[in-house]
């Protein structure tokens, strides 16, 4: 039975590809892509830290042919592509100091993960993961994070095309959306903080940013009462790793659902599919999205948990926030025994094509969210019929 939800305002944030933490995420995932290109069964846990004129890689790798991977050159190529190409700004692809402390994967981990078959492969770590979906947007994602990502993707495109030539790579945006009975009805506040060239008039920055925001955000939700705050301090010139340190995995809420629903705490970037922090979170999104798309619920959150070295999940939980067409325990039974989904790590990787991505790469996921983007296989809606049949709808 559905329930009436109180009116409320919810805010989510996105950050650009030039944010220090996102620089780190992209380098970690680009290195993962390179190792998987050598060996699709590689096990990778790569962390990146960035600071003023410094980039450091840490982690562990098990990869046949991995000696050919030049992590330093990959890091410089990523930073160059992001747009940090001015040494005078304190962080540039051609001048930063690079250090690597990547080593071979611990045999204590690998003996529990490598079991010889997809069916028997154990989880690369213990922990719990969540997936979420809602019918409040076409993407089946919460509206605030959809709008925040959309806004910064537009600024990135305009920076790269030269339409707004004074923009630099680092940026943040947050969007506050009023909801009534669980549906987005108005955008109340938009905050944009964008790095710019020195000397750019703040009036121009604010005028351009508000105009772009009004164009790209949902027109029916931007009202005469919507408030815009652009570079509130009046100056944002020193940015990126020169202005603040960055580390892989510090934007887990930006990466997922913008604070809506739950998060198990594990980050994604730099980890191969044996790490259930990543692969199981992707699969939970896939499951939750198909449940909502099938009409079994208006909102759905899936939680799954694992023990390191064990193939079968230790628990599966379903929450529909009172929007379910059938009881939650019935949905959970379908997930566990209906033959539609398989939560074993090896089977997740096989189902979603996580070992040898086609048409996408892991670096693609490292900016503007891992969910709500149709290019990724965990966004498929391909088992709704089977779910409706199993539910008797």
């Amino acid at each position: 039975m559905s329930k009436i939800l109180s009116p409320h305002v919810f805010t989510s944030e996105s950050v650009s590809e030039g944010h220090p933490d996102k620089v780190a995420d992209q380098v970690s995932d680009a290195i993962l892509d390179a190792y998987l290109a050598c060996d699709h069964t590689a096990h990778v846990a790569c962390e990146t830290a960035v600071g003023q004129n410094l980039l450091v890689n840490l982690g562990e790798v098990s990869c046949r042919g991995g000696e050919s991977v030049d992590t330093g050159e990959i890091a410089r190529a990523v930073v160059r592509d992001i747009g940090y190409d001015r040494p005078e700004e304190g962080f540039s692809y051609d001048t930063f100091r690079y250090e690597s402390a990547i080593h071979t994967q611990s045999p204590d981990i690998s003996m529990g993960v490598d079991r010889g078959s997809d069916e028997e492969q154990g989880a690369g770590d213990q922990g719990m993961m969540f997936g979420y979906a809602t019918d409040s947007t076409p993407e089946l994602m919460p509206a605030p994070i959809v709008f925040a990502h959309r806004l910064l993707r537009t600024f990135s495109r305009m920076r790269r095309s030269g339409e707004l030539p004074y923009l630099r790579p680092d940026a943040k945006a947050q969007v506050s959306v009023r909801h009534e009975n669980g549906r987005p009805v108005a955008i109340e506040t938009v905050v944009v903080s964008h790095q710019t060239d020195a000397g750019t008039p703040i009036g121009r920055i604010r005028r351009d940013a508000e105009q772009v925001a009004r164009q790209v955000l949902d027109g029916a939700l931007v009202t005469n009462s919507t408030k815009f705050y652009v570079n509130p301090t009046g100056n944002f010139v020193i940015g990126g790793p020169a202005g603040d340190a960055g580390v892989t995995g510090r934007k887990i809420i930006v990466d997922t659902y913008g604070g809506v629903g739950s998060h198990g705490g594990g980050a994604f970037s730099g980890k191969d599919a044996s790490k259930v922090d990543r692969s199981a979170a992707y699969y939970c999104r896939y499951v939750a999205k198909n449940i909502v798309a099938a009409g079994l619920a208006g909102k759905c959150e899936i939680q799954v948990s694992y023990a390191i070295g064990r193939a079968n999940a230790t628990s599966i939980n379903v929450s529909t926030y009172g929007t379910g067409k059938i009881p939650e325990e019935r949905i959970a039974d379908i997930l566990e025994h209906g033959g539609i989904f398989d939560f074993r790590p090896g089977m997740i990787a096989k189902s979603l094509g996580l070992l040898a991505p086609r048409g996408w790469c892991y670096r693609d996921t490292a900016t503007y969210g891992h969910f709500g983007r149709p290019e990724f296989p965990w966004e498929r809606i391909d088992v709704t019929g089977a779910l409706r049949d199993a539910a008797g709808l």
Side-chain angles (χ1 to χ4, degrees):
M1 180 181 297
S2 63
K3 59 184 178 180
I4 302 298
L5 302 177
S6 301
H8 66 282
V9 177
F10 199 90
T11 301
S12 294
E13 177 189 66
S14 179
V15 299
S16 72
E17 68 263 34
H19 186 281
D21 295 330
K22 280 293 149 196
V23 173
D25 284 345
Q26 289 170 90
V27 171
S28 291
D29 270 339
I31 290 172
L32 169 62
D33 285 327
Y35 279 116
L36 290 178
C38 290
D39 174 9
H40 73 275
T41 66
H43 293 318
V44 181
C46 177
E47 308 291 339
T48 304
V50 294
Q52 190 172 53
N53 209 34
L54 174 67
L55 192 150
V56 179
N57 280 132
L58 307 162
E60 54 184 30
V61 173
S62 175
C63 177
R64 293 171 296 187
E67 61 276 2
S68 65
V69 174
D70 189 331
T71 57
E73 285 304 306
I74 292 170
R76 293 188 189 280
V78 170
V79 172
R80 180 175 61 232
D81 180 65
I82 291 169
Y84 287 119
D85 52 6
R86 300 176 183 177
E88 66 273 16
E89 291 184 346
F91 185 78
S92 179
Y93 78 94
D94 52 348
T95 58
F96 68 72
R97 181 164 56 93
Y98 178 74
E99 297 182 13
S100 176
I102 295 174
H103 58 84
T104 304
Q105 184 185 44
S106 164
D108 293 341
I109 296 176
S110 62
M111 72 177 180
V113 175
D114 296 325
R115 295 291 181 86
S117 71
D118 294 331
E119 292 81 1
E120 296 176 346
Q121 178 186 316
D125 202 353
Q126 69 180 54
M128 63 282 188
M129 302 84 210
F130 292 87
Y132 180 84
T134 172
D135 63 3
S136 61
T137 65
E139 296 89 348
L140 302 187
M141 287 283 290
I145 191 66
V146 169
F147 294 148
H149 286 324
R150 184 182 301 169
L151 186 55
L152 282 192
R153 279 198 305 268
T154 302
F155 282 124
S156 176
R157 176 184 58 77
M158 298 179 79
R159 171 177 68 89
R160 292 174 179 276
S161 70
E163 294 174 80
L164 294 177
Y166 57 82
L167 295 182
R168 295 297 290 145
D170 195 1
K172 286 186 173 183
Q174 66 183 44
V175 180
S176 303
V177 181
R178 172 166 288 278
H179 296 73
E180 294 181 2
N181 195 26
R183 317 298 297 184
V185 296
I187 294 175
E188 293 212 340
T189 308
V190 178
V191 181
V192 176
S193 295
H194 211 302
Q195 182 189 16
T196 67
D197 287 335
T200 308
I202 186 62
R204 179 185 179 186
I205 297 168
R206 289 173 174 167
R207 183 175 60 253
D208 289 348
E210 180 173 341
Q211 182 179 12
V212 170
R214 288 186 178 276
Q215 290 173 349
V216 304
L217 298 179
D218 193 315
L221 300 184
V222 176
T223 72
N224 292 333
S225 299
T226 302
K227 298 180 178 65
F228 294 87
Y229 299 99
V230 178
N231 286 16
T233 66
N235 200 46
F236 183 9
V237 172
I238 301 173
D244 192 11
V247 182
T248 300
R250 282 206 305 200
K251 287 293 175 283
I252 58 177
I253 300 304
V254 172
D255 285 343
T256 53
Y257 307 101
V260 177
S262 306
H263 197 293
F268 299 156
S269 290
K271 298 177 181 178
D272 72 272
S274 70
K275 278 69 173 177
V276 284
D277 277 343
R278 183 172 213 162
S279 56
Y282 288 175
Y283 200 65
C284 285
R285 162 63 178 174
Y286 170 65
V287 174
K289 185 176 183 181
N290 273 271
I291 287 171
V292 171
L296 273 62
K299 295 181 181 180
C300 183
E301 180 176 86
I302 306 296
Q303 185 206 50
V304 64
S305 64
Y306 293 91
I308 189 168
R310 305 285 295 186
N312 291 316
T314 58
S315 68
I316 298 174
N317 183 66
V318 178
S319 299
T320 60
Y321 302 93
T323 68
K325 300 294 179 59
I326 62 174
E328 291 172 348
E329 56 268 27
R330 174 62 182 140
I331 298 176
D333 183 68
I334 292 170
L335 301 191
E336 292 193 65
H337 307 295
I340 302 171
F341 301 107
D342 191 332
F343 286 85
R344 289 175 292 177
M347 301 308 291
I348 289 174
K350 183 177 181 180
S351 171
L352 298 182
L354 300 181
L355 300 184
R358 295 184 178 180
W360 62 281
C361 63
Y362 281 102
R363 187 192 162 188
D364 294 338
T365 70
T367 51
Y368 308 116
H370 293 243
F371 305 124
R373 299 165 57 183
E375 63 265 36
F376 299 140
W378 48 91
E379 294 295 318
R380 298 192 313 254
I381 302 175
D382 57 358
V383 293
T384 55
L387 280 169
R388 290 182 62 84
D389 289 344
L393 297 181

